[in-house]
Amino acid sequence: MSGDRRGIIGIAPGGLSRRQALAGIAGTVGAVACPAISYGQADAIRIGHLTPVTGFLGPLGEYAQMGVRLAADEINANGGVMGRKIELVMEDSVNPQTGSAKAERLIERDKVAMIIGEISSATALGIGQIAARTKTVFINTGANSDAIRGKDCNPFMFHIEAANSMMVQTVGNYLKAANMISGKKWYMLTADYAFGHDLLKVAKKYVTANGAQMAGEDLVPTDSADFSPYLLKIRQARPDIVASNLAGNQITNFIKQYAEYGLQMPITGFGFDTAVAWGAGQGNFAGIWPLIWHHLVDNPSSKKFVEGFSKKYGRLPENQAWGDYNSLKLVAQSFAELKSTDPVKLQEHLRKGAKFDILKGREGYFRAYDNQMIQEMYAVKAKDASKMKDKWDIYEPLGVVPAAGTDLEVLAPEKDGTCKMPA
Amino acid sequence: MQFVFLLEQVLNGLLVGAYYLLIALGLSLIFSLGGVVNLAHGGFYAIGAYLAVTLAPRIGFAGAFIASPLLVAMIGVVVERLFFRRFYRSDPILSLLLTFGLAMVIEQSLRLIFGAAPQPFSIPPELRGQVLVGDFIYPRYRLIIFAIALAAVSATWFVVYRTTFGRVVRAGVQNPDMVGALGISLQPYMTAIAALGIGLAGLAGVLLAPISGVHPAMGAEILTAAFVVVVIGGLGSFWGVILAAALVGVVRGVTIFINPSWGEASMYLLMALVLLVRPRGLLGERILRFE
């Protein structure tokens, strides 16, 4: 409703002077009023947020929404950006078709300054294409597929979320140290959609390059709730290691039923979200897993985030909340530094390697090659059930990669030339 | 060796069929008697699971196992009295709309109250462990589910086929007007059948909560499979639903053994095949008012 009203003001004869007046108050007449006609007109800066809150990724989407809301609250409590409040326009992206349609509507009708969100790699691809066409910045906070950083990359799609290959390299470091790769037989279960296919490719390449053999691999439809036929196949194949390339609720079901069948092979996974492991329940979680961030990361800004989140929502934040929280924070910081919400300027600023505090030991930046956020990564190991203090206390940190003093970019996807940014 | 592996999948498929059966049976009962296609059935299954998660820490798993299905059945009574009852004689599309809406209300309510994240819940420690038969492995808990499902289905069979109550219900399925002409009001029977069917969904929810993710959309996940079972089995057929549940469990298991990405699709192919050969379903009865 309010969007329509603003739209009318925007085309009314008096609209331009009103816009200029507002811009004048912000002290940025030249920067805002001229090119960004549709962006300077509202009192608030509208940010679009799209993520699946229903379906098998829904549990993660909920954390994404909590994260971005917390960031907006903190920014607004500190006086907003250039004196303007942040206003979130949030939608359930549902599936690739709906997600694309909603992205278009957010941009055309709601006139959002940029879009944050998404978890599904298939939907992120669609939103990314719309971002490129409309020259609107989209920060992907949860889709891992290497392909959207490779052949499907574009200058307006940024990735704060780690690429599949970063997750694989991260956990791979620890698996190598635990002597779980070389000479071992691996069995992989993979989510049967864009993300899983992409992850399987990267994971298989990594473990076989490091001396492992494949004992088997199965694709699992995303609506599969019963894993028993897969578990029987795994037991029959007698692998040394069982690895998950699953996603969302699949991981919860897999962890629960793996424990139910009492299979003894160590498990690990290349894609992971804390929320789905918390949901597995006592005595079920096991293995070594990679994470882009977790609530035990030990530094002051991370602790402050955990504290603020817990206070607002009564539960701990996890990696998905981290992504959406930091995306809005870094966009707000960029707007303030640029003194503008112009999307092209934002895009240039981010691509120039601006550094951001993303609650980690070292600052992160988007690299210009593929717009991937270059950053520290973590791995965790399941805690013994008897040592858990409460239902949140399911793992202990294994450390951070790359090691201090090493170039952060060693984890990033190879610059193999598949991403060709239009100049 | 391949044959042994396949046999293991077949037997496991029968176990999995038991879960489908618990949900499909109630669905079939409610449809047969009232002509209401209950799209909210998965919602009641989810309520059963969430009740188990909420009640178990307070009254133990055994207590929750008894209390949750009863509470869900009571919700069933209310829903029947308030809503279903108005749609028995109307165009099925209206009851479809109603129950579809109800399913969304239930899912979103669970999301509002508990959040979208899965609720932690495990098998009670005393029910954990596996049973090895030769080289075949069966988690103890799954065998318990199977036994309880068999008991529940047998009890339902007894009520429907061996009691006066059941005789009236079966007469009502075939010819409600004649039952009315004989001076029997079907209303209390309808309420009882709705409570029974919905209670069974609640029971399935409690039983499956420890081994599958407890999240708001869990009902939608299993409902489609239950519908496939009802359609394959044939409407109004008690044995048809049982046969179909076993068949769907086995076909899915065997398909996953051979080509896993077809696992979920296999049951729809099976349904299409059955409908082509026998449009009424495997053991479907001829029900005059649905022809």
Side-chain angles (χ1 to χ4, degrees), chain A residues 242-261:
Chain A
V242 179
S244 144
N245 299 318
L246 302 168
N249 285 328
Q250 284 186 319
I251 302 180
T252 310
N253 284 322
F254 167 68
I255 291 175
K256 279 180 121 164
Q257 292 170 31
Y258 194 84
E260 186 202 2
Y261 273 80

Side-chain angles (χ1 to χ4, degrees), chain A residues 107 126-138 154 156-157:
Chain A
I107 295 164
I127 300 174
Q129 286 164 346
I130 287 164
R133 183 161 52 73
T134 56
K135 298 202 184 311
T136 308
V137 170
F138 162 51
N154 76 61
F156 283 87
M157 174 161 57

